[in-house]
Amino acid sequence: MRVLLVRTHAHLPTSQWLQTMLLLEPYAQELIAGAVQPPHDVKICDLALEKKPVAAFRRTLQEYRPDLIGLGGFSGQFRTNRELATIAKEMRPEAITCLGGIHASSAPMDCRYPDLFDLVVRGDGVSAIKEIIAALDAGQPWPESAWILPTASPDFERLASQAPPRLHPDGINTRPRRDLVDMSKYFCICYGEPGQRMETLFPQIACVRTSVGCPNRCSFCVVHFLANGKYLQREVEDVVDEIASLPQKYIYFVDDETFINTKRMQRMAELLIERGIEKRYLSWARSDTVCEHPELFALWKKAGLEFVYVGFESLREENLDSYNKKATPSQNRKAREILRDLDLNIHAALMVNPDFEERDFLAVQEAIKELGPAEFAFTIFSPPPGTEAFAAARDDFICEDPFLFYDCLHTILPTRIPLKRFYRYFAILYALGSAHIPPRVNKVRVPVRDFVRVISGAIK
């Protein structure tokens, strides 16, 4: 059996622009590929790399002639996945098509297109592909559960209404098949330390996942819903062994929240240092974790931590409370100072609400000045698909297809000020943020072409 796993390309220009700054390997597809064992063959088609993704997809179907096609991704890619499935059914009508990923897991009822998708997979795709292939090998009917849903099944609606299945250890312990992609194509922007001369701002990078799930319940995040309250962690030694085996100097931790288990992360840093593994790391962390464990981040600085992504969201208490962030403005400010004292670069994520007025945008502008130097990202609050908040807001959506615009850079809800003015203020945030990025403030010496690439991209 030939299995084709597809990383869907971005449709919206905003999402395409983001990929000029950050393009990570198709990690989900690599993990699922790791579960496909001989005599079955597996191929990854990464359409994010293609200038003409649809033509590349057609060419892959014609040349590889897959028997099983796995599509997936975020809600913003749902329409594109339907278009790709239409092409797949035209060119390979005998092939089985599966839809997985974030959107299929959180909103399975929206994915019931029996003419396009034979199966909808929720949650862990690694274990699911094993179950599906085993059933096909044995000539048995597809398994039916809240995890694997045949779209033609009369029980589809009942199964889809159940909570997502709990995480399975297979999903965290399987090693990714990086050999199926060209790792030289993937990069992440990295700023170095103050005064440092950087060979490039866009080094090649590899992803590593050490855990899945998050115990927090932020209102804008769907992780706790998808993980069904479970949190899985890999053995520290296994993670360190994988990192040591990678040729890439830069490692991006793709955990939902890397530093939840602080004792475990302390042991990981100590082991990396003991073994003399010299890498540079990028990771997410909460501001309250930074405040409560500054010594941990000092240790990780010694281990090679260079870039910390922090979801500050806001410096206003009322906003943090509405997001159920369980953090305070003072913690955000203190975390910023701790990371600054350690010379760690920061990716500062701030959030904008659809009901913001001019004074609220001005408050975010002040937050930029206070939190900089940092790489800034601004998102617009959108209720996560699959949650009660999304269902309650559905009658208020301002676009016919909210999933198409669900990239957190567009509002799917009405704005308090006129829409054009809202987006004008939102664009100003990105322009102001570009003036406070680390290489400009910290005087990091970088190739001119890279500096121009950053600035021109930030002001588009």
Side-chain angles (χ1 to χ4, degrees), residues 337-355:
E337 292 306 312
I338 291 171
L339 297 175
R340 179 182 302 179
D341 291 343
L342 290 171
D343 281 335
L344 288 168
N345 287 309
I346 292 179
H347 171 103
L350 296 173
M351 187 163 288
V352 168
N353 292 344
D355 64 353

Side-chain angles (χ1 to χ4, degrees), residues 67-137:
D67 305 298
L68 177 63
I69 303 169
L71 299 163
F74 299 98
S75 294
Q77 297 169 306
F78 180 47
R79 190 171 84 171
T80 304
N81 276 320
R82 297 202 310 268
E83 294 169 353
L84 294 177
T86 300
I87 295 171
K89 286 300 184 183
E90 290 174 354
M91 296 185 64
R92 295 288 296 166
E94 67 279 18
I96 298 165
T97 53
C98 304
L99 179 67
I102 298 295
H103 191 72
S105 298
S106 58
M109 279 304 300
D110 292 310
C111 304
R112 193 179 190 184
Y113 287 81
D115 56 329
L116 299 179
F117 307 114
D118 298 294
L119 297 172
V120 172
V121 175
R122 305 177 73 196
D124 171 30
V126 173
S127 299
I129 197 71
K130 293 180 179 180
E131 293 279 339
I132 294 168
I133 290 177
L136 291 172
D137 282 346

